[in-house]
Amino acid sequence: MASDELAQKLQRRLLLEESSPGPAVGGEGEPAAAAGGGPAEEEEKEDRSVLLASADSELGAKLSRRQDINEGTAQPRQAKVFNPYTEFKEFSRRQIKDMERMFRLYDSGKDGYIDLMELKLMMEKLGAPQTHLGLKNMIKEVDEDFDGKLSFREFLLIFHKAAAGELEEDSGLMTLAKLSEIDVSTEGVKGAKNFFEAKVQALSSASKFEAEIKAEQDERKREEEEKKHRRAAFRELKSAFSQ
């Protein structure tokens, strides 16, 4: 990471220096007189000097920070941890889990992203195939880091923008959100008939999540109890046949 970046900087500096023309040599080994370089040549030299100075400054800052980190006088930057439940508070845990299941379903590469070809397959499966340009525009509309693919956070942004009315009605992203099976009405948001009739609401996430977590825990307990009963019944049936 940091070492790779430094290597790239050094390589760029080397290429810039190698591209600088050396002094022409005359017949007796003496430098030849300048052949009257015009303003274009002078401007090129100035641009090269600016690039070299910029590379020196940036590389020096990187090396200085790396040294400070190694000496303990500076802390490495921590990557921000994405928490969908706190960032997208308008959605319930169940809705976000449904979105996550849909995301993983079409993330065929299992790399945590939906790329152009995976998005193409998704739209075809949803019955709304898009052109190549249409797919690129869909990604571009929520692609915050400009990497040409959708992260899970960017995927959630589709539904966030749809619920907030920030998408064009005939856009590819709106079509995706409409054709998904994620429906706010199943969560009982003021009797909304479907996802797009529900408005984004400021919910008390703490109490809401506590209730949902408790419901999930109760559901797991119920499933475990059912498994125990089935195992006990099987053992009784097995012992009856073995007698």
Side-chain angles (χ1 to χ4, degrees), residues 84-85 88-102 152 156 181-189 195 203 208-220 222-223:
Y85 303 113
F88 294 90
K89 296 179 180 179
E90 67 267 31
F91 300 127
S92 69
R93 289 176 61 88
R94 180 171 296 180
Q95 289 164 356
I96 290 177
K97 286 179 182 294
D98 287 343
M99 295 174 198
E100 185 177 12
R101 277 193 290 270
M102 184 178 182
F152 179 51
L156 290 178
E181 297 180 356
I182 301 164
D183 192 346
V184 172
S185 63
T186 60
E187 303 299 323
V189 181
F195 181 79
L203 301 173
K208 182 170 179 289
F209 287 167
E210 285 175 7
E212 290 179 344
I213 290 172
K214 187 176 185 305
E216 289 176 4
Q217 291 173 344
D218 291 341
E219 180 68 16
R220 283 196 293 267
R222 186 183 63 79
E223 290 176 355

Side-chain angles (χ1 to χ4, degrees), residues 14 22 28 41 53 57 61 68 119 122 132 135 138 152 155 165 188 202 214 227:
L14 184 59
E28 299 297 327
E41 184 177 347
S57 175
D68 290 342
L119 181 60
M122 177 190 293
H132 183 78
L135 292 166
M138 287 174 67
F152 179 51
F155 185 70
K214 187 176 185 305
K227 287 180 182 178

